[in-house]
């Protein structure tokens, strides 16, 4: 394609840096310039906060929202609050998407950038869908970075990346039209050690579950590793029927420096724990095309299996030991 006038790109987040959220120098300018280069004709909506340095930035529309501040999801074991920027991401994404007038939209972090437009073709490449768990009007393309298949050595459900989304504007609005999360109040009952044999759910799980509960209120998790009620298979089915999961290089997505090099997510241990595009294709073939047993097999999958034998599965021992320690901490909290 040479014209992308039916696409708007919502670049959301702080410009360069914001209070406690430092960013790579010049990354927002690089982000905006990459959209002009790889999606000519598209509209850029910059959704950010007051008092940002906007000099030299190339965008079509500016959306300034009041900063909701960090939110406290839970308390650490020592009783101090654990703060996240979940509400900030909701506000900048949600308010930016409200200003989109085109049929399709991209949600792009202000500290990432485009290296191509492969995601546009990927969105149309897998047309068959089943009626079960068909939540969105069309498929939404997402990154596999932080879309974890395993966490702490165990299979994990609904752990979808919040980095990058491309699809119908109406579908993206459905995903990101979320209420702000209230702050945790009780250092004992809302302590990270208060879940026996589990960890607090991840932020990415929380976002995705909040979106899915609009379609099925029974979808939910108690903790990060909760696999009750066929959660793993249900998560896989929803992925196969509503999304396309692919690596950054397969999408045309570039990551800022903090996610590259020696960053945990870029190491072999981190990468092999994520969903891979070929694994998503196999789920699609089985659950949407109804080609049971007709899987794509490749040296890539064999290498992935061997990597997980080395880096993923042994982590279960460490996780079990940590959970035993946390269970003792729970007992001490309850005895107070």
């Amino acid at each position: 394609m040479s014209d992308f006038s039916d696409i708007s790109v919502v670049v959301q987040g702080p410009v360069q840096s914001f209070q406690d959220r430092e960013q790579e120098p010049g990354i927002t300018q690089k982000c905006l310039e990459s959209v002009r280069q790889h999606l000519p004709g598209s509209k850029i909506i910059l959704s950010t906060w007051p008092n940002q340095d906007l000099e030299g930035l190339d965008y079509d529309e500016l959306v300034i929202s009041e900063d909701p501040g960090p939110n406290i999801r839970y308390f650490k074991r020592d009783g101090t609050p654990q703060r996240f920027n979940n509400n900030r991401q909701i506000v900048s994404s949600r308010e930016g998407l409200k200003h989109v007038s085109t049929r399709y939209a991209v949600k792009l972090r202000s500290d990432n950038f485009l290296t191509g437009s492969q995601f546009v073709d990927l969105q149309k490449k897998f047309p068959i869908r089943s009626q079960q768990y068909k939540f969105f009007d069309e498929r939404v393309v997402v990154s596999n970075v932080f879309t974890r298949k395993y966490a702490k050595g165990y299979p994990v459900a609904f752990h979808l990346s919040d980095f990058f989304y491309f699809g119908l504007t109406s579908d993206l609005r459905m995903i990101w039209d979320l209420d702000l999360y209230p702050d945790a109040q009780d250092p004992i009952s809302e302590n990270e050690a208060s879940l026996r044999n589990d960890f607090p759910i991840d932020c990415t799980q929380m976002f995705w579950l909040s979106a899915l509960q609009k379609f099925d209120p029974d979808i939910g998790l108690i903790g990060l590793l909760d696999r009750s009620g066929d959660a793993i298979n249900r998560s896989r089915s929803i992925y196969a029927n509503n999304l396309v999961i692919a690596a950054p290089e397969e999408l045309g997505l570039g990551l800022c420096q903090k996610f590259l090099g020696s960053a945990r997510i870029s190491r072999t241990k981190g990468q092999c724990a994520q969903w891979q595009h070929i694994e998503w294709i196999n789920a699609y073939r089985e659950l949407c095309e109804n080609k049971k047993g007709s899987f794509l097999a490749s040296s890539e999958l064999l290498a992935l299996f061997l990597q997980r034998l080395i880096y993923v599965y042994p982590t279960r021992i460490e996780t079990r030991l940590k959970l035993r320690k946390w269970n003792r901490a729970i007992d001490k909290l309850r005895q107070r």
Side-chain angles (χ1 to χ4, degrees):
M1 292 179 63
S2 58
D3 178 71
F4 298 90
S5 57
D6 61 343
I7 299 174
S8 294
V9 181
V10 175
V11 175
Q12 54 83 207
V15 173
Q16 316 306 354
S17 62
F18 185 65
Q19 296 177 11
D20 58 341
R21 192 67 174 265
E22 290 296 322
Q23 296 202 120
E24 181 181 333
I27 189 63
T28 306
Q29 182 173 354
K30 181 177 182 180
C31 172
L32 297 171
E33 290 175 349
S34 74
V35 176
R36 294 291 190 216
Q37 177 183 356
H38 296 291
L39 292 180
S42 65
K43 179 180 179 180
I44 299 177
I45 299 172
L46 178 60
S47 181
T48 187
W49 314 111
N51 304 316
Q52 298 285 282
D53 182 4
L54 304 174
E55 184 177 357
L57 299 183
D58 180 17
Y59 52 84
D60 298 303
E61 185 174 353
L62 179 65
V63 177
I64 300 292
S65 302
E66 181 180 350
D67 177 23
N71 58 298
I72 302 171
R73 287 191 53 219
Y74 52 80
F75 292 85
K76 300 178 185 178
R77 281 173 290 171
D78 62 5
T80 59
Q82 178 65 65
R83 291 182 169 86
F84 295 86
N85 285 311
N86 304 143
N87 288 341
R88 284 173 168 164
Q89 180 161 193
I90 289 172
V91 169
S92 59
S93 301
R94 181 185 67 195
E95 298 308 307
L97 287 166
K98 285 180 180 178
H99 287 254
V100 173
S101 58
T102 52
R103 179 171 172 79
Y104 291 93
V106 173
K107 185 202 93 76
L108 180 64
R109 286 170 53 127
S110 58
D111 60 353
N112 289 330
F113 54 94
L114 299 183
T115 60
S117 59
Q118 298 96 305
F119 56 87
V120 177
D121 290 334
L122 275 177
Q123 199 259 351
K124 300 293 187 185
K125 192 174 179 180
F126 305 93
I128 301 174
R129 301 173 69 189
S130 68
Q131 290 306 307
Q132 186 180 30
Y133 301 125
K134 185 179 178 182
F135 294 153
F136 303 147
D137 289 331
E138 292 187 8
R139 293 187 179 278
V140 174
V141 182
V142 300
S143 168
N144 78 328
V145 178
F146 290 112
T147 299
R148 287 196 171 101
K149 194 175 180 72
Y150 296 90
K152 301 186 184 301
Y154 289 93
V156 65
F158 302 110
H159 202 306
L160 185 70
S161 174
D162 59 357
F163 270 30
F164 174 92
Y165 289 70
F166 169 68
L168 284 174
T169 300
S170 56
D171 288 333
L172 266 62
R173 284 176 177 160
M174 180 67 70
I175 294 171
W176 285 102
D177 186 14
L178 304 176
D179 294 331
L180 301 189
Y181 296 111
D183 286 335
Q185 301 294 327
D186 189 342
I188 295 179
S189 65
E190 296 176 285
N191 192 285
E192 65 175 337
S194 64
L195 285 174
R196 184 171 290 276
N197 296 319
D198 209 339
F199 303 85
I201 66 170
D202 189 83
C203 297
T204 59
Q205 287 176 309
M206 183 177 67
F207 286 137
W208 184 230
L209 288 170
S210 295
L212 294 179
Q213 286 164 358
K214 298 177 185 180
F215 302 95
D216 185 348
D218 292 332
I219 295 176
L221 297 174
I222 296 174
L224 171 70
L225 304 179
D226 182 9
R227 299 185 296 280
S228 62
D230 204 30
I232 296 296
N233 287 332
R234 182 185 286 193
S235 176
R236 182 172 180 261
S237 296
I238 292 172
Y239 285 173
N241 207 35
N242 294 277
L243 306 175
V244 178
I245 300 172
E249 60 272 17
E250 295 166 324
L251 298 176
L253 176 66
L255 306 180
C256 62
Q257 288 299 318
K258 70 178 179 180
F259 298 118
L260 301 175
S262 61
R264 182 174 58 179
I265 198 64
S266 70
R267 300 175 200 159
T268 302
K269 183 176 181 179
Q271 290 189 346
C272 70
Q274 299 171 155
W275 270 82
Q276 305 302 314
H277 185 50
I278 191 171
E279 292 180 298
W280 180 86
I281 290 176
N282 281 337
Y284 167 79
R285 288 167 66 91
E286 176 188 353
L287 299 168
C288 297
E289 293 185 337
N290 201 30
K291 295 180 178 178
K292 299 184 184 300
S294 178
F295 297 113
L296 296 178
S298 70
S299 58
E300 178 186 349
L301 284 174
L302 176 59
L304 182 63
F305 172 72
L306 294 175
Q307 287 174 344
R308 287 172 176 167
L309 279 179
I310 297 170
Y311 294 108
V312 174
Y313 306 135
T315 309
R316 295 181 183 184
I317 299 173
E318 178 185 340
T319 297
R320 288 171 183 165
L321 293 174
K322 183 176 289 187
L323 286 172
R324 286 181 185 176
K325 181 179 178 181
W326 280 30
N327 288 339
R328 290 195 293 268
I330 293 172
D331 293 337
K332 289 180 180 179
L333 283 171
R334 291 174 176 172
Q335 292 170 5
R336 291 180 182 176

